[in-house]
Amino acid sequence: MTASNLDKSVSSALAIVIFDIDGVVRDVGGSYRRALADTVEHYTDGAFRPSQVDIDALKSEGVWNNDWEASQELVYRYFEKQGKTRTEIALDYNTLVAFFQSRYRGPNPENWTGYICTEPLLLAPNYLESLTTSGIPWGFFSGATRGSAEYVLCKRLGLKSPVLIAMEDAPGKPDPTGLFATVLLLEQQFSADETTPVIYVGDTVADMYTVEKAKALQPNRLWIGVGILPPHVLQETAQQLDAYTANLKQAGAQIILRNVQDLTAAKIQELIAGEDPN
């Protein structure tokens, strides 16, 4: 069952739940992040390959949700440390994107054979089915390209026409335009309106900033940010795990979970009621 199967006879939805994809629905530690590291290494002539900690440090700034732009920024910062100014660095963004995609999707854009093909999934379709059964509409707002997002949602998870706002559809996070657009699509399809609480589930500071900006622009609605600890963080030291958790909380996360499937209908009810489900 997909979101389009939600029974419209439900008098009103408990909440609208919107998921980020990378680090929430799929593990991108060995795909997007690997392609990012490959790209930085390539454009620094092998002198610098960022670690997961390096990438986390950049993303903790809250404005580097786009991994193409994050790759470019890390290349710039490397050469700046060598005494160069950005105008002195010969870096063509479109060429950098093409290199990144050759690693992530593979060299043939029509037949994907890259890192994307081996991404572990972090949720199962029956989890989404459980939300549907509980009268909770759900959809996706992601900074991934539509092709990449649909690859995991439709081809890997088998969802049929899920509600999705992707990179091509809205400005990048933390701009909440895409979040608002996803909410509107779900309101139009299901039994929800401007009084229905909205929960956004993400794994980065930018995701939580997006919720905070939505609160500022639409203060009469209940907006809740749920932070997810991505798999690569769970494999790091306790100190790094604590730092990542603190960054998400400081950015506005109301709750931090180790896996998205821990966000059950019961926990959603507790969050809406203002209880602490931890």
Side-chain angles (χ1 to χ4, degrees):
M1 183 182 293
T2 69
S4 59
N5 301 117
L6 185 65
D7 186 354
K8 293 186 179 182
S9 66
V10 176
S11 59
S12 62
L14 173 65
I16 288 171
V17 178
I18 300 173
F19 301 97
D20 179 31
I21 294 176
D22 302 332
V24 175
V25 175
R26 61 181 171 191
D27 179 0
V28 296
S31 56
Y32 265 125
R33 283 171 167 256
R34 184 179 176 189
L36 188 160
D38 286 355
T39 302
V40 175
E41 184 176 42
H42 176 77
Y43 281 94
T44 59
D45 298 321
F48 174 52
R49 182 178 181 86
S51 66
Q52 296 282 17
V53 174
D54 293 326
I55 297 170
D56 285 341
L58 182 73
K59 288 183 174 288
S60 70
E61 296 174 13
V63 293
W64 303 108
N65 190 66
N66 182 313
D67 285 333
W68 301 338
E69 294 176 354
S71 300
Q72 177 182 248
E73 182 64 18
L74 286 173
V75 173
Y76 277 141
R77 292 187 186 187
Y78 168 78
F79 283 112
E80 284 176 333
K81 288 181 179 178
Q82 312 310 310
K84 292 187 178 182
T85 64
R86 296 197 177 202
T87 55
E88 296 176 306
I89 302 167
L91 187 61
D92 181 76
Y93 181 71
N94 291 330
T95 304
L96 180 147
V97 170
F99 180 88
F100 184 107
Q101 292 295 80
S102 74
R103 295 298 193 270
Y104 180 67
R105 284 190 320 204
N108 185 344
E110 303 302 322
N111 181 30
W112 293 5
T113 56
Y115 301 153
I116 188 174
C117 299
T118 59
E119 292 171 331
L121 297 176
L122 301 175
L123 62 74
N126 62 3
Y127 165 69
L128 298 171
E129 168 76 15
S130 72
L131 297 183
T132 300
T133 301
S134 299
I136 300 172
W138 47 266
F140 304 90
F141 168 43
S142 172
T145 64
R146 178 163 286 274
S148 172
E150 290 182 341
Y151 182 91
V152 65
L153 298 180
C154 302
K155 185 171 182 178
R156 299 285 308 283
L157 284 171
L159 305 181
K160 306 298 182 183
S161 301
V163 169
L164 167 66
I165 295 294
M167 176 192 287
E168 298 89 338
D169 307 317
K173 293 177 276 188
D175 187 312
T177 301
L179 182 59
F180 291 149
T182 315
V183 169
L184 182 60
L185 287 173
L186 290 166
E187 286 178 345
Q188 291 171 343
Q189 292 189 31
F190 308 122
S191 185
D193 57 30
E194 66 276 4
T195 66
T196 305
V198 174
I199 296 173
Y200 186 49
V201 187
D203 68 314
T204 67
V205 167
D207 294 326
M208 299 303 106
Y209 282 172
T210 302
V211 178
E212 293 303 299
K213 288 179 179 291
K215 289 180 184 179
L217 291 172
Q218 294 186 7
N220 293 328
R221 184 169 212 153
L222 178 60
W223 297 90
I224 297 173
V226 172
I228 302 296
L229 295 172
H232 79 270
V233 172
L234 297 174
Q235 297 166 7
E236 292 175 354
T237 66
Q239 183 179 6
Q240 290 166 338
L241 178 63
D242 289 345
Y244 199 98
T245 300
N247 283 337
L248 287 177
K249 287 185 176 179
Q250 187 174 13
Q254 186 165 331
I255 182 177
I256 310 290
L257 302 174
R258 287 176 170 258
N259 180 269
V260 62
Q261 295 181 132
D262 294 332
L263 184 67
T264 61
K267 265 194 170 51
I268 290 169
Q269 180 65 68
E270 292 173 338
L271 284 168
I272 293 169
E275 300 173 10
D276 183 1
N278 278 319

